[in-house]
Structure formats: C-alpha cells, structure tokens
Amino acid sequence: MDRRLFLAGTAAIVVLPLGPAAATPDAMAEAIKKVIGEATPIEGRMKLDVPPLVENGSTVPLTVSVESPMTEADHVKAIHVFNEKNPQPNVFSARLGPRNGKAMVGTRIKLGDSQRIVAIAETSDGKFWSVGADVIVTLAACLEESP
Amino acid sequence: MRRRLLVVGLGLVFVATYAAAQVGSQSGADKRRSGYRDMGEALQKMQDDDTANPGMLFVQLGSQLWAKPAGVANKSCADCHGADAASMKGVATRYPAIPAGSDRPLDLEGRINLCRTQHQSADPLPPENLDLLALAAFVAHQSRGLPIAPPADPRLEAFRQQGEEIYRRRQGQLNLSCAICHDDNAGKKLAGIVIPEAHPTGYPIYRLEWQALGSLKRRLRNCMVGIRAEAWPLDAPEYTALELYLMERAKGLKLETPAVRP
Amino acid sequence: MSNILVNAPKTAKRGDVVEIKALIMHPMETGFRPGPNGRIIPRNIIERFTATWNGAEIFAMDMSPAIAANPFVSFFAQANESGTVVLRWTGDEGFAAEHRVDITVA
C-alpha cells in the first residue's frame, strides 16, 4: 500500500521543464558533418572516459584523449564532443597543438537523459577519428518544485 | 517526457543492495556511513580534489567575505575572529547550539547572522543567500575531518526530541517518515539512487542537482517536497530541531564540508 | 571579480608535460529553462576559454550550454620555457575573467 502510493506519487512529482525539441541522432549527425565534411571518421586512437551510470545528469565528468606523439609533424588539432539528446548537439570544441604535449581534455557536461556521446578528433594529417560511449542517467529522487 | 516518467516509474522499486549485509549488524562496529560512501567513484574524486570540487569556489568566496568589512560597524569577521580563521576550527562540529544570552538553538548560518546583526550592525542575510552560504562553507571547512560533536547543553534536549519526533512522523501525501527511507531502507535503491543514511556530514553541500551550493535546510526541504509534505519556510524552527537530531545521530562521523552530492 | 581555482605546478623540468586544471564560478544558464514565472531564463554562458603561455595560444575551447555550471576544464601543456600562463574566460553579458600562473622551468 505504502509502496504503491509512493510509486505513484513520486513518479508524478518528476516534473521536467519542457524544453524545445531535443537534438536527435540526426541533428548530431548533421553537427558532426559540419565539422568533418564528407570525411569518414576512423574508429580508434581515442578514449572517451565518462561514467557509464551517472547519479545526476547535471554535472557529468568527461575526459577525451587521443593517442598522438603531439609533435609539429604529427599532432591532434581539435577535439569535438557531441550528444544526441540535449537541446543542442554540440557540447564543446577544443583546439590543440604540439604545445600540449598530450592530447587529453577534461570537463563536465550536462546530460538531460540517457544517451550516446560521440567524440571526434582531427589530426594534423587531415584525418578524423571517433569514439562513442553510452551513458545512463538516473534521476535525483528528491527534487524541489521551485528553487 | 513520457518515456522518462515511465523509466522513473519502473525504476522506483526498492532494490536491495547491501541491505542483506546489514542484517545482524549488532556486532558493535560502527556501521554508519556518510552519503559520500554511497556515491560513485567519479563523484568521490570530484569531492576529494580541492581544485576540482566546485564547493571550493564558494569556500574561496567565503574567505574573501571573511576579510571584508560590513555593516554600520564596518568590521570584518577577521577583525574579531582572526585573519586565518583558526578560531573557527571545530566550531561547525557543534552546531546547532544555543548562543550566550538566548534560549533558542541556532544553526551555523543563524550564528553567522547573529554576528552580522550584533557585531557588524548589518542586516541578517536571507536563507540560501550566496554570501551566507559561502561564509558558512568557509567556517565549516575549518572543521573538515573533525568528528561531529554536539554540545552537552541539556537545554538542547527538548529541541532534539522535537526533531526526532518529526523524523519518525509519517507525513505528506505519500504518508512516509524520514525513518522509513533513511533507517529502514537506507542502502537500498530508489529510482537507481542509493538511499543514504541522511547524515549531515558535508554542509553546505554542492549538490549537482542544484548546480550550486546549498544548506542542509534546503536539502531537507527537497526530501519534504519529495514525499509531498507541506514544507516549512526556510527560516522555520522545525529545521533547526531536525538538524539537532540529525547531528546527534551522526555524532562522531567526520565533517566533509564542502561535500559534493548528486 | 570572479572566483577561480587553478591547479598548475609552480615549477617544471624543461620538456615536462604538465596538467593544468581550472574551475570558475559561473551559472552556465542554458537559455532553455523556464524560470519561476514560466518565462525562459535568458542564456548566460561562457562561450570561450583560452590559455596562452608567454602570449602564444596553447589551448582553446568553445563551450555550449551543455557545459555544466561552474565549468571545469583540464588540459596539458609542454613546459618549454619559464613564463606566465594566462587563462581567460569570455561569454554572454560581457563576461570576462582572467587568471595568471607563473611556471618556472629549469
């Protein structure tokens, strides 16, 4: 009895701000195309570190790294991160160069829902690389109606 | 939106995790656990690293405010309590407490506001005001790592009992008590989240859900809203009573301010 | 005045690759959320973070509203010569903040 009520009640209080139409896998594909043009990214050389299950989508730690000597002749020029379901597909675009010594960038992102994240790297030889990860976002149990 | 509700609905089943391990916990060892231990590794790391813990931005702001003169008296906290705030070490472990010349308990934010009105001739800061939270975080941070040590003042007993009574009372449309979740079902999962034991070890906390620093009152208020109970206004004495009970219940656990919580 | 926390080594050996971590207080308001009055809260984000070492840009990041509040950024830098690293954040509503760290390279 208790539990049933609880289920009903708590499910009902999860009121989400209805945002504009969310980004879709298509919107993500389009955003990626803007960056890489007609090139086909190669899967590999990259690592996308993000917890597979996050306790709260509002601050998700994420680290992207690319295997690269980071020399004048052979380095990572840019790292881009995209997502499927936030209102916008772009998360960030970082510009790097040989002065970084190591191609690794960390930040924290917002994820409104469980979804796939994709990172793309551009190397100095004009190639594109990619890696993806699925993240499951659980919802906080005790929210507030208004701040 | 609809899909997310569904996911929540399905997830809202108490899933036993280490509950079985808790059965027969009469062995005498202290089994109480801070909410820190219920978090994933990523969030524990975020809390542990002082240059990655967003709560430390507010501690930094608090240290700036500590040195800034305020009010008609144009005095800073540092003028009376010392620039390095060493005098604040251990203070947060024993609040709420009854200040000299009064008979009502104040929590740390209330005590800071008393200094504003009494000693700085300034207006009290409203609940959840950024400067007040930052000052409280700065003061409580001086006690990080110290065990919670409620004062022995016998006058606090009545308030603490009131707090325990609230804690055990069923309330809200869901007719739940704090104890049903935080004593009887602690360690089990609710919508994918582990129900913590509700120890106030890290306040003010940086709660990811808020994307900001917030007080224990605000956190308690969230749980009241969660069970669809009428939440008291943030300056209601009921919160101080609950805080007193929770601090007694967490006696000996170490302060973590500023903690990170989901 | 912005609240900023930066973690970077004060000294490094020539050629060392050092990590620089930076945290800044900022709401990163997405521009998609309704406020208490039901109206959308205007977007207020940091759009760009840059790092220079003795004036030369070594790292830059364009941010979107999907970056969490109180943004955290970590990246690496090769310590080639002693100097000043300048971290700069710019964004909506004329937001601009700067933090300098001196790194001695031996």
Side-chain angles (χ1 to χ4, degrees):
Chain A
M1 162 68 179
D2 256 341
R3 193 172 105 193
R4 180 105 53 78
L5 254 183
F6 179 71
L7 292 184
T10 312
I13 58 158
V14 181
V15 183
L16 295 166
L18 262 177
T24 60
D26 289 347
M28 177 162 91
E30 207 159 291
I32 292 175
K33 205 167 164 199
K34 255 191 216 153
V35 169
I36 66 173
E38 295 304 319
T40 312
I42 310 158
E43 273 188 45
R45 281 178 71 168
M46 293 187 76
K47 215 171 137 221
L48 178 54
D49 251 323
V50 46
L53 183 81
V54 302
E55 293 110 312
N56 193 294
S58 66
T59 311
V60 181
L62 169 146
T63 307
V64 190
S65 53
V66 192
E67 271 171 52
S68 166
M70 293 305 268
T71 57
E72 210 46 68
D74 181 3
H75 59 263
V76 175
K77 284 166 69 179
I79 294 177
H80 311 271
V81 173
F82 304 90
N83 75 92
E84 281 179 347
K85 286 198 195 156
N86 286 344
Q88 290 177 348
N90 298 73
V91 178
F92 72 79
S93 288
R95 263 216 313 281
L96 295 87
R99 272 303 300 271
N100 294 111
K102 188 168 164 180
M104 184 161 169
V105 177
T107 188
R108 295 174 187 152
I109 68 170
K110 295 175 195 152
L111 292 176
D113 205 341
S114 300
Q115 58 184 288
R116 187 162 182 79
I117 315 281
V118 171
I120 304 262
E122 181 181 358
T123 42
S124 51
D125 57 6
K127 290 201 175 91
F128 291 95
W129 307 80
S130 80
V131 64
D134 293 304
V135 185
I136 295 172
V137 178
T138 59
L139 293 167
C142 297
L143 304 170
E144 45 196 20
E145 283 160 335
S146 59
Chain B
M1 165 92 175
R2 199 182 305 133
R3 170 145 154 237
R4 192 150 164 200
L5 272 178
L6 181 67
V7 171
V8 174
L10 290 176
L12 274 175
V13 179
F14 287 120
V15 181
T17 47
Y18 60 90
Q22 285 189 318
V23 175
S25 62
Q26 262 77 306
S27 59
D30 191 349
K31 290 263 173 40
R32 291 174 305 167
R33 33 193 290 143
S34 157
Y36 173 86
R37 290 171 56 193
D38 297 322
M39 302 195 299
E41 196 193 332
L43 296 191
Q44 291 188 346
K45 267 200 200 147
M46 195 187 290
Q47 173 171 325
D48 291 343
D49 180 348
D50 277 352
T51 50
N53 179 342
M56 289 303 293
L57 289 168
F58 300 84
V59 170
Q60 182 192 58
L61 174 63
S63 77
Q64 291 156 354
L65 295 167
W66 180 262
K68 198 172 141 192
V72 175
N74 200 33
K75 281 212 157 83
S76 72
C77 319
D79 288 339
C80 295
H81 295 294
D84 65 355
S87 64
M88 290 293 130
K89 195 171 173 183
V91 169
T93 66
R94 49 174 202 268
Y95 271 75
I98 299 177
S102 169
D103 54 4
R104 303 212 129 256
L106 286 178
D107 59 14
L108 192 58
E109 286 93 340
R111 171 68 243 196
I112 291 169
N113 260 338
L114 187 62
C115 275
R116 278 185 60 89
T117 52
Q118 256 183 10
H119 298 301
Q120 292 181 311
S121 304
D123 288 333
L125 296 167
E128 301 308 304
N129 167 279
L130 176 64
D131 287 2
L132 182 59
L133 289 169
L135 279 166
F138 174 69
V139 169
H141 183 61
Q142 311 305 316
S143 300
R144 184 157 72 168
L146 297 179
I148 291 176
D153 188 344
R155 293 173 301 167
L156 289 171
E157 208 37 56
F159 297 99
R160 213 172 265 140
Q161 269 169 21
Q162 186 202 353
E164 176 162 10
E165 191 275 314
I166 296 170
Y167 185 83
R168 305 204 173 279
R169 179 203 303 163
R170 281 174 181 265
Q171 51 182 327
Q173 286 176 34
L174 302 186
N175 197 31
L176 288 169
S177 69
C178 318
I180 289 176
C181 280
H182 293 299
D183 289 346
D184 305 346
N185 285 294
K188 297 183 190 169
K189 279 193 173 172
L190 180 61
I193 299 162
V194 179
I195 302 177
E197 292 179 5
H199 296 302
T201 43
Y203 289 80
I205 56 167
Y206 188 86
R207 190 172 182 210
L208 304 185
E209 177 60 31
W210 301 330
Q211 302 196 47
L213 199 74
S215 72
L216 179 54
K217 290 190 179 85
R218 184 176 179 194
R219 179 61 265 213
L220 298 179
R221 207 168 187 282
N222 285 185
C223 274
M224 310 246 342
V225 170
I227 55 175
R228 316 198 85 192
E230 186 78 46
W232 313 291
L234 280 164
D235 54 1
E238 281 85 351
Y239 290 111
T240 315
L242 256 179
E243 284 175 42
L244 271 164
Y245 173 66
L246 291 176
M247 286 295 268
E248 181 66 28
R249 196 170 154 270
K251 186 175 177 172
L253 293 180
K254 293 192 169 107
L255 279 190
E256 300 160 27
T257 311
V260 171
R261 292 289 183 269
Chain C
M1 183 188 66
S2 293
N3 283 96
I4 295 169
L5 286 170
V6 172
N7 187 354
K10 288 193 175 62
T11 58
K13 279 213 304 276
R14 193 173 307 279
D16 272 0
V17 174
V18 300
E19 185 173 23
I20 298 175
K21 296 193 271 187
L23 194 58
I24 185 166
M25 200 185 283
H26 193 284
M28 292 301 280
E29 190 57 61
T30 61
F32 299 115
R33 276 194 331 149
N37 61 2
R39 254 186 263 139
I40 297 290
I41 307 169
R43 191 186 100 151
N44 178 17
I45 70 164
I46 291 175
E47 290 183 292
R48 202 170 159 71
F49 168 79
T50 60
T52 57
W53 189 305
N54 284 343
E57 187 167 295
I58 56 167
F59 180 81
M61 184 191 264
D62 289 325
M63 297 184 174
S64 77
I67 297 294
N70 302 307
F72 172 81
V73 181
S74 69
F75 62 96
F76 288 83
Q78 193 166 44
N80 290 346
E81 79 274 338
S82 293
T84 305
V85 175
V86 179
L87 307 178
R88 200 172 277 126
W89 293 259
T90 51
D92 294 337
E93 298 179 12
F95 184 85
E98 200 179 276
H99 186 92
R100 297 164 170 266
V101 269
D102 291 320
I103 300 181
T104 306
V105 175

